[in-house]
Amino acid sequence: MIPLPASVSASDRLITLDRTAAPVVGEGLEETAAWLRGELGCGAFRLRLDPALPPEGYVLSTVTGTADITGGSVAGVFYGAQTLRQLLPPAALRRVRPDTLPVPQVEISDAPRFAWRGVLLDVARHFMPVPDVLRFLDLIAFHKLNVLHLHLTDDQGWRIEIPGWPRLTSVGAWRPESMLGSRIHERYDGRPHGGYYTTDDLREIVAYAAQRQITVVPEVDMPGHMQAAVAAYPQWGNGFAGGVRTAWGISSHVLNLEPATLDFCRQVLDHVCDVFPSELIGIGGDECPTDEWPGGRELQARFTAEMAAHLASRGRRLYGWDEIMAGGAPADAVVAAWRGTEPAEVAIRAGHQVVACPDVKLYLDYRQSDHPDEPTPVGTLLTLADVHSYEPPASPLVLGAQANIWTEHMESLRRVEYMAFPRLCAFAEVVWGPAERDFAEFSARLPQHLARLDALGVNYRPLSGPRPWDARPDAPGNPRTLEDRLAELHEMTADLR
Ligand code: ACM
């Protein structure tokens, strides 16, 4: 099982779930039961709550001949049900299931270590249609991850409909072509790309995630990474009159910080708060060039404070990248610490709650090996073992960790799956399991888990290397050494020291 439960006692005996049994469902668990019935194709389970258990914890027992799942909350029951799915033969994960459902006789008692077990999906660089986002939610829920940080806007595309500002999606959601491979090669594909989510689409994503105990934390990146919005409404820029960015990399065309532009940002956040119930709302704040501004970094700190105050007036809190700490971030802002491992330490010293997502450990767009067929190798080498060995800083301010999937070089969910798996399996062990982990022991469990991913049709990276269709000879990369990247990060984070 992945992530490995905290305590498992198993016998060699198998029981067979009775496909004709009626489920026994405790109060408040009707939705989870309906979901589980759909996943198993039968109701051979008993679900109940026991508030004495840890909130996300559960006990799963099959000794009575049925699956008894008791959770500290609905989430705990849901995780017990996910464990049950992993106890069944992989074929039970297919949409057409085998006639018999054998499970080992077990008693499992389990609970996660971290409350924030996150994944960022960048739907701005490449738009992912709703069914693909829902499938991705199913896959992360299968690994007991519970936050989807949805990166909705960037220089290369605006993906969320905002009432009153139609050009954000009629103009900002489309680009005439995209770069092929790393920007150092300056190649383009000549193919239009775009798409956006309507409010109904986003409500569906939020509700589907909630059924799977996942909070969708939305992000509208500001005041940088805003070229798509400025292309749609040039009055929010600083004289820029071009279109949505087709090159990768960071645009210098950022928002101006006039009162009307701040009003626009507040309207966007108001709509985001209407659609997303998450207490934390992402405003990005990363990589904002100041070339177009009369002042410098302190303007961004003022901007961030304004947005934090607005979110607070709506009972929400600001979630931003570690750049927001330059010049001092609002005290209750939660920091996503990404520029190497130092910013998390800086955030902790400043008293901020932190989500650790250091690029050199948890950026899943970085290459998985130095195999010549690895698609568009960028960033530093980040193997399965590297992800498995990551350990967030030990501090009560660390909410957990997050693996980030930036999609410049992933134009479809199929490619996302290749980059995400099996590294997300290792990540699940980091955030769910104990601090002491053994890669050899994890590796011994992994082949059985890959059989589950096969049954689910996941295009994971085989341990032996890329499959022929995963190669991207048309989209060359730009691999970096860890040494160079660490030196660059040290320079980039100088303003935090
Ligand atoms: C980031 O990777 N720009 C947060």
Side-chain angles (χ1 to χ4, degrees), residues 120 125 219 221 225 250 286-287 321-323 336 338-339 357 359 363 404 406 485:
L120 174 142
R125 269 50 174 272
E219 177 183 318
D221 209 337
H225 285 289
I250 306 164
D286 57 321
E287 300 174 323
W321 301 107
D322 59 61
E323 284 93 332
W338 74 277
R339 291 180 293 173
C357 50
D359 69 324
Y363 268 34
N404 293 346
W406 301 103
R485 179 60 178 162

Side-chain angles (χ1 to χ4, degrees), residues 30-47:
E30 296 80 6
E31 201 172 65
T32 307
W35 166 81
L36 183 57
R37 210 176 210 303
E39 295 297 339
L40 297 180
C42 78
F45 52 80
R46 294 197 288 236
L47 309 182

